[in-house]
Amino acid sequence: MLNSFTVASLCFVSDTLYFLCVSEICRCLTCVCVFSGSKACVRIQIKGEKAPELLLELQDDDRTRLFLTQVKSAQRQVASKLTKPKAMEPLAPTPQRGPGPIPPQRAAKTPSAVGVGENSANTFSALESSLNDSTSTNHNTTDPAHMLADFGFEEKFNNTQRVEEKKNKQNRMVASREPPPIPPLPPRKASVPPSNPLPPTPIPKDKPTAVQARGNSAVPSTKSDSFRSGYDGVDKPASLCESPTTKTMPSSPSGQREFLIKHCLGKKEKEYVDIKHFSFFVGTWNVNGQSPDSSLHPWLCCDPDPPDVYAIGFQELDLSTEAFFYLDSSKEHLWIDAVERTLHPKTTYRRIRTIRLVGMMLVVYAKKLHRKHIRDVAAEHVGTGIMGKMGNKGGVAVRFVFHNTSFCFVNSHLAAHVEDYERRNQDYRDICARMTFHLLEQPPLNIVKHDVVIWLGDLNYRLSMSDASEVKQLIKENALKKLQEYDQLTHQRKHKRAFTDFIEGDITFVPTYKYDPKTDRWDSSGKCRVPAWCDRILWRGSSIEQLKYRSHMELKTSDHKPVSSLFKIGVKVADEQRRKKVFEEIVRAMDRMENDFLPSVSLSNINFTFPDVKFRQLQKERFLIKNDGQVPCHFAFIPKLSDSQYCKPWLRAEPSDGFLEPNETLEMYLEVYVSKDSVTLLNCGEDTICDILVLHLDRGKDYFITISGNYLPSCFGTSLETLCRMKKPIREIPIEKLCDLGEDTFMEKEKSKVTFLMADGASSDDIPLKIPKEVWVLVNHLYKNSCDQEDLFQTPGLQEELQSIIDCLDTSIPDSLPGCNHSVAEALLIFLEALPEPVLCYELYQRCLDCSHDSRLCKQLISQLPRAHRNVFRYLMAFLRELLKHSTNNNLTASLVATLFASLLIRPPPNLMSRQTSHDRQKAIDFILGFLMARDEE
């Protein structure tokens, strides 16, 4: 502790030795000082639980005796604080001291106190060791500036440290914060983090608190929603992608310094790294829900030499309904066992990481001898199925650093069907935008922020040819080059719509889809699928050579054939002697600059206006930040006083922190995106598009960025009671009227409506609707047009169509809706998910679970719902029962429908969200299932 503090802050050893003694006494709580003396000197021994033992020798003169008196006084103060705690009692002010004593000359140096220049080299090994420790801890230390003032050494202390403390005292203790959500491109559904069976309930927001003053600006402060790593359009279940470590930069001076040194080391890595080549085997296989029925040796051991790293991806590992909703799959272990039995026998491998999302699984192995050189391992997944949550489509990824090179492997399963290449492009963009890795004490990393990225999987791009017999004839003639002219992925890459920066090797093998399972025959089913290269491997990065790209026809388990690629990749391996030399040069240069310069930046704009902000519609504004100072600097957006997040939930800065070298300029973006977690407060006027961001420089000043705009209310995120009382589209109703409609609780509304309806002379215009007109429009459209729609409620809609549907419902009462049936179906699901109070109200949640086994009790519970909720529930159940009558055509089952709608209609209250179990979810599903299987009697 003392060593890191010394390296970070102290420049004058002779003047600060005494300060260190006192600060250790105050810092170590149970510190003990033992004094002894002789005629020539006074010896001081300091012991503490949180500090190393110190033995000091000082000259015995008047200045030493005065100094020791102050030390003993400080020790007594600390002891009295420990033994006599009084809650909420203000501390007595410290008496002002006169000029501080002149420190006496030291008889001997302490090994802990190290200055700048020739002495700074003594700290290299300790600091370098802490830099390599990825789990370093920030300690709460006593304020150095105040401690110096107390003991009279302020005039002698480092000027840079003093200026920083005076300018940024209010920001010294920066609250740890979760990074803001990543917006979809285009916006889509799912978000922050590991494996919850069902999508979670949105957590209701607290109302805005009082306005706080910051400088000369009034800053409205709100308690943020439950913060996610993605927007609502990108909302993953809380258990799906949340990493346990979401810290950014440490707030202590020593921690900030260490990260700055790391940054500078990275900039100079060419001076101390060599490129060494390693072999990587990458394989992908869509197994069509089958279990392994033969050895994988022809696929995984097809090369004579063992690879250094394996990255193996599977798709459609499990096609069951349970797996579709994130539940565990026994087939995961079957396939992992099959893989590990057939890894190359000439060496020993260690598993680095496994991750699975429904049917997608990625497993990475490395040679045992390489394991010690692999660090910073993380895994994430993104679902791009219906509402961006369901994991039947999406991607899983594993990232790590091997020596000094960062790797990211992405395994994905994109949207199916020949004509849906735009959905595949959309899935690719969603995965890129939402896949974020959170590492301890590091900013969030996305896919492209890696030296090497390898993307594998069933990408599902087809051939734009409708005649299967013509394709098969060209294959028989080995005219593969001609066939590839019709390959959709090649066309999308060429027109920069997907995988723009990726490279793919020459395809010399026949299409890997679709075969009759257990054979080498092309699909002979009634659909007679056109053969296609669905299974692909692409890459981006430098020093990558693809040695082989092939399929493996010997394996016949599935309707796909496995594909593999062997790469030779150059990896940056550090030379420790050269690295140490560069490290020492950086530390010495930093010591010199920190004493002479303060960081400074300039911003191209500090006032931003976002016009006509809408639900689920992303807006972005760009600005530049330039380091116009003389030293490297770290910047970060920090929370305002009393706030836990640096911005409101609808706002995000990208990047939210970073490093800048002198004269370096960085492009930054401010993004506004109203999700289901923030729409309700905006709809009712309790929040506005208004915020102030605080951009903080370590050791420098703060910069203030103002955000303003106007929000257009939406029926999405508005309560059922309020919607039933609106006869016009929500955009035609003044915001003051919306506020009045939303003031009462739902029980108070029920009471007032019953009284109102019984009054004499009530006009028909004042009688509330039985169900919201928006629900009727959505359901009526689906009832008329989509009962026989294949894969309804299983295929996601297109984002442009979803936005058109939302705008249409907000501005009119349409006779028909734009977009395809899948887009209208997803809009209905989004509407139900965005409700501030679910259809089955929060207060009835536990009763709902308790009576799920008894249909009579279930019906009684529904009869006790508020009028609007009761009518909507019955209306939805009647519609879903009608859909199930067409299950032969639309591929819906009662189990799938019940599982999907239970997660939307029966949501646990926010305080029970973390305690919801799989048994609770099953009870909710059983509750819905009982109504789906009932006769049409209501």
Side-chain angles (χ1 to χ4, degrees):
M1 172 193 270
L2 182 59
N3 191 43
S4 63
F5 180 85
T6 303
V7 174
S9 307
L10 303 180
C11 302
F12 304 102
V13 175
S14 61
D15 288 352
T16 57
L17 179 59
Y18 304 95
F19 163 67
L20 291 175
C21 300
V22 179
S23 64
E24 285 300 316
I25 294 171
C26 296
R27 181 184 306 167
C28 299
L29 298 182
T30 57
C31 185
V32 175
C33 293
V34 180
F35 301 90
S36 62
S38 66
K39 294 182 179 181
C41 66
V42 175
R43 295 183 179 87
I44 305 175
Q45 182 182 13
I46 300 177
K47 296 180 181 179
E49 290 180 351
K50 299 183 180 180
E53 179 177 334
L54 299 178
L55 181 62
L56 310 175
E57 292 186 1
L58 307 177
Q59 294 178 357
D60 187 5
D61 55 20
D62 292 340
R63 288 179 296 174
T64 298
R65 285 189 287 274
L66 177 59
F67 174 75
L68 294 181
T69 300
Q70 294 175 344
V71 170
K72 291 180 179 179
S73 174
Q75 189 180 26
R76 285 193 297 272
Q77 291 180 17
V78 172
S80 64
K81 291 176 183 178
L82 291 175
T83 56
K84 298 179 181 180
K86 293 186 180 180
M88 306 301 295
E89 181 175 328
L91 297 176
T94 304
Q96 296 293 326
R97 290 182 171 83
I102 301 174
Q105 295 296 317
R106 295 174 300 155
K109 290 184 180 181
T110 69
S112 297
V114 183
V116 184
E118 68 276 3
N119 291 327
S120 64
N122 297 337
T123 70
F124 288 155
S125 59
L127 183 54
E128 189 170 11
S129 173
S130 65
L131 282 173
N132 292 327
D133 182 3
S134 63
T135 58
S136 59
T137 304
N138 295 331
H139 301 283
N140 293 325
T141 59
T142 304
D143 184 351
H146 288 281
M147 185 67 70
L148 286 172
D150 285 348
F151 289 93
F153 295 122
E154 185 171 9
E155 294 302 320
K156 294 285 187 175
F157 191 59
N158 182 290
N159 180 66
T160 300
Q161 179 75 14
R162 189 170 66 244
V163 172
E164 177 199 358
E165 295 299 332
K166 289 181 178 179
K167 286 187 175 182
N168 298 303
K169 178 180 177 182
Q170 71 274 23
N171 292 324
R172 184 174 357 272
M173 299 305 295
V174 177
S176 63
R177 57 193 183 277
E178 186 176 343
I182 302 265
L185 297 174
R188 189 141 179 145
K189 272 230 84 76
S191 112
V192 214
S195 169
N196 220 11
L198 285 177
T201 312
I203 298 178
K205 286 68 62 181
D206 294 328
K207 295 184 179 181
T209 58
V211 173
Q212 301 174 352
R214 180 68 182 264
N216 296 324
S217 303
V219 182
S221 172
T222 63
K223 292 182 180 180
S224 175
D225 308 341
S226 158
F227 223 56
R228 302 171 184 265
S229 64
Y231 285 122
D232 164 60
V234 239
D235 275 355
K236 289 178 270 189
S239 59
L240 273 187
C241 22
E242 193 169 74
S243 296
T245 54
T246 55
K247 296 180 182 178
T248 52
M249 288 295 298
S251 57
S252 67
S254 59
Q256 294 164 2
R257 179 185 172 91
E258 291 172 6
F259 268 85
L260 192 56
I261 292 174
K262 276 187 178 180
H263 175 71
C264 295
L265 271 174
K267 291 281 188 179
K268 293 176 173 288
E269 70 174 8
K270 290 183 178 180
E271 300 179 21
Y272 60 84
V273 300
D274 300 310
I275 302 298
K276 295 185 179 180
H277 290 90
F278 297 87
S279 60
F280 287 71
F281 178 98
V282 180
T284 177
W285 193 10
N286 183 322
V287 297
N288 192 33
Q290 304 298 312
S291 299
D293 58 3
S294 61
S295 171
L296 305 183
H297 191 275
W299 179 33
L300 303 181
C301 292
C302 55
D303 299 307
D305 298 320
D308 293 287
V309 175
Y310 275 102
I312 304 166
F314 294 95
Q315 306 85 41
E316 294 191 4
L317 200 73
D318 194 332
L319 300 178
S320 66
T321 301
E322 290 75 16
F324 183 77
F325 289 96
Y326 305 122
L327 298 180
D328 290 337
S329 170
S330 60
K331 291 186 178 180
E332 173 181 341
H333 306 291
L334 293 176
W335 280 102
I336 287 179
D337 290 344
V339 167
E340 294 182 350
R341 286 196 302 270
T342 50
L343 294 176
H344 209 290
K346 291 185 179 180
T347 189
T348 303
Y349 290 91
R350 290 288 181 266
R351 193 192 310 175
I352 304 302
R353 192 66 182 266
T354 301
I355 185 169
R356 183 181 67 84
L357 176 64
V358 187
M360 292 170 288
M361 183 173 73
L362 178 62
V363 56
V364 178
Y365 298 89
K367 285 183 178 179
K368 182 179 178 180
L369 61 93
H370 296 321
R371 185 63 186 89
K372 62 184 178 182
H373 300 296
I374 294 176
R375 66 183 189 277
D376 296 341
V377 180
E380 286 293 351
H381 43 195
V382 168
T384 60
I386 188 77
M387 299 172 66
K389 288 181 176 177
M390 304 313 171
N392 56 323
K393 295 295 187 288
V396 295
V398 173
R399 64 91 55 197
F400 57 86
V401 176
F402 182 34
H403 287 285
N404 267 44
T405 298
S406 59
F407 286 83
C408 181
F409 294 93
V410 183
N411 172 31
S412 67
H413 191 191
L414 307 185
H417 306 303
V418 176
E419 66 279 5
D420 283 343
Y421 57 86
E422 282 296 348
R423 278 197 176 89
R424 290 186 273 280
N425 295 346
Q426 181 173 281
D427 288 348
Y428 162 75
R429 292 192 293 267
D430 280 355
I431 294 170
C432 288
R434 290 163 41 198
M435 188 76 76
T436 305
F437 302 95
H438 299 280
L439 300 170
L440 185 67
E441 300 287 6
Q442 292 188 30
L445 292 172
N446 59 29
I447 290 174
V448 299
K449 291 182 179 179
H450 291 83
D451 299 321
V452 175
V453 180
I454 298 181
W455 198 303
L456 57 135
D458 180 2
L459 306 187
N460 250 326
Y461 286 96
R462 311 297 178 87
L463 296 177
S464 299
M465 298 177 68
S466 57
D467 190 344
S469 59
E470 181 184 357
V471 173
K472 294 173 185 176
Q473 182 60 36
L474 289 172
I475 294 172
K476 188 179 294 185
E477 296 171 1
N478 201 32
L480 300 184
K481 290 290 185 184
K482 182 173 179 60
L483 273 181
Q484 288 167 25
E485 295 175 4
Y486 300 91
D487 177 63
Q488 291 178 347
L489 178 56
T490 302
H491 278 270
Q492 299 308 304
R493 290 176 54 220
K494 180 179 179 181
H495 292 92
K496 300 187 183 302
R497 293 173 182 157
F499 295 95
T500 303
D501 298 325
F502 284 83
I503 301 171
E504 184 179 23
D506 293 335
I507 299 176
T508 58
F509 49 89
V510 300
T512 56
Y513 174 84
K514 176 181 183 178
Y515 296 85
D516 289 335
K518 315 295 182 183
T519 74
D520 288 329
R521 296 190 306 270
W522 297 112
D523 180 29
S524 60
S525 68
K527 295 183 178 179
C528 193
R529 303 286 192 187
V530 176
W533 285 285
C534 291
D535 310 283
R536 313 287 275 265
I537 300 174
L538 300 92
W539 75 90
R540 57 172 287 164
S542 58
S543 191
I544 303 174
E545 179 183 357
Q546 188 180 54
L547 303 179
K548 295 179 181 179
Y549 192 21
R550 61 228 165 165
S551 65
H552 301 269
M553 302 297 292
E554 304 92 329
L555 296 178
K556 305 175 183 180
T557 306
S558 172
D559 57 353
H560 290 249
K561 298 297 181 183
V563 171
S564 72
S565 180
L566 185 66
F567 293 99
K568 183 173 73 172
I569 301 178
V571 175
K572 295 175 286 189
V573 179
D575 180 287
E576 287 305 318
Q577 291 297 324
R578 285 151 53 197
R579 180 183 180 278
K580 184 176 181 180
K581 182 179 178 181
V582 172
F583 175 84
E584 293 173 354
E585 292 172 354
I586 291 171
V587 173
R588 278 193 289 267
M590 194 171 295
D591 287 340
R592 289 192 298 270
M593 289 189 296
E594 283 182 349
N595 293 327
D596 298 331
F597 303 104
L598 288 175
S600 173
V601 299
S602 59
L603 306 177
S604 61
N605 189 10
I606 59 171
N607 297 293
F608 296 89
T609 302
F610 292 86
D612 296 339
V613 176
K614 300 178 182 179
F615 175 59
R616 285 174 55 91
Q617 192 170 90
L618 176 68
Q619 290 194 36
K620 301 174 70 172
E621 289 287 344
R622 170 184 171 273
F623 70 100
L624 300 177
I625 177 173
K626 180 180 180 180
N627 184 348
D628 55 8
Q630 304 297 313
V631 293
C633 70
H634 170 254
F635 67 87
F637 288 98
I638 62 172
K640 297 177 283 292
L641 294 176
S642 303
D643 285 353
S644 59
Q645 307 293 339
Y646 73 84
C647 65
K648 291 187 178 181
W650 42 261
L651 179 62
R652 184 175 92 100
E654 173 60 29
S656 60
D657 64 1
F659 289 99
L660 286 173
E661 298 287 346
N663 297 316
E664 182 180 359
T665 300
L666 179 65
E667 188 176 63
M668 300 188 69
Y669 288 91
L670 295 177
E671 300 166 345
V672 169
Y673 184 85
V674 178
S675 72
K676 64 179 177 60
D677 295 321
S678 53
V679 65
T680 299
L681 289 181
L682 289 166
N683 279 343
C684 65
E686 294 185 22
D687 192 9
T688 59
I689 303 298
C690 177
D691 202 0
I692 295 180
L693 301 183
V694 182
L695 182 66
H696 175 68
L697 296 188
D698 292 342
R699 299 175 48 253
K701 67 177 183 178
D702 293 339
Y703 299 79
F704 298 92
I705 299 174
T706 60
I707 310 296
S708 61
N710 67 296
Y711 172 71
L712 302 180
S714 175
C715 60
F716 289 71
T718 301
S719 70
L720 294 176
E721 292 86 359
T722 301
L723 292 174
C724 283
R725 298 162 76 182
M726 295 190 321
K727 303 296 179 65
K728 298 179 180 180
I730 194 169
R731 297 270 176 85
E732 296 182 14
I733 299 177
I735 186 64
E736 298 80 10
K737 180 66 173 177
L738 288 176
C739 295
D740 293 340
L741 291 175
E743 281 181 354
D744 301 327
T745 64
F746 78 88
M747 286 301 184
E748 291 171 340
K749 292 174 187 174
E750 278 302 296
K751 184 177 179 180
S752 65
K753 281 182 275 186
V754 171
T755 304
F756 179 76
L757 292 174
M758 294 175 61
D760 294 333
S763 68
S764 60
D765 290 340
D766 294 327
I767 300 175
L769 301 169
K770 290 185 177 180
I771 63 172
K773 57 189 179 301
E774 293 81 7
V775 174
W776 181 85
V777 169
L778 289 166
V779 172
N780 187 59
H781 179 100
L782 294 172
Y783 177 72
K784 289 182 176 179
N785 301 291
S786 63
C787 284
D788 294 311
Q789 175 68 57
E790 183 180 3
D791 294 334
L792 188 69
F793 290 119
Q794 300 171 68
T795 300
L798 293 171
Q799 296 304 319
E800 296 82 0
E801 294 180 357
L802 279 169
Q803 195 58 55
S804 297
I805 293 169
I806 293 171
D807 286 341
C808 187
L809 293 173
D810 287 339
T811 57
S812 65
I813 306 175
D815 295 326
S816 62
L817 292 171
C820 67
N821 291 333
H822 295 302
S823 296
V824 177
E826 185 167 1
L828 174 61
L829 300 179
I830 293 171
F831 177 90
L832 295 173
E833 186 187 39
L835 287 173
E837 181 93 5
V839 175
L840 273 80
C841 304
Y842 285 134
E843 69 175 27
L844 298 178
Y845 171 75
Q846 192 57 50
R847 287 181 57 194
C848 169
L849 301 187
D850 295 340
C851 71
S852 60
H853 65 285
D854 190 321
S855 61
R856 181 180 58 84
L857 294 177
C858 291
K859 291 178 182 178
Q860 288 180 2
L861 185 143
I862 295 302
S863 67
Q864 297 170 21
L865 287 172
R867 178 176 177 272
H869 291 249
R870 179 174 65 249
N871 291 341
V872 168
F873 181 84
R874 289 173 174 170
Y875 186 57
L876 288 173
M877 291 301 106
F879 165 63
L880 295 176
R881 283 194 296 268
E882 188 64 30
L883 281 183
L884 290 174
K885 294 177 182 178
H886 300 261
S887 58
T888 304
N889 297 324
N890 58 33
N891 296 332
L892 287 174
T893 66
S895 176
L896 189 151
V897 171
T899 306
L900 175 59
F901 277 84
S903 68
L904 303 172
L905 305 180
I906 309 175
R907 307 197 303 254
N911 62 321
L912 297 179
M913 190 66 212
S914 61
R915 298 202 295 268
Q916 188 186 31
T917 65
S918 59
H919 189 53
D920 294 335
R921 286 186 284 268
Q922 188 57 53
K923 286 183 177 180
I925 293 170
D926 292 342
F927 185 97
I928 299 297
L929 200 56
F931 286 92
L932 294 180
M933 304 305 291
R935 296 190 304 272
D936 295 327
E937 54 192 32
E938 296 181 292

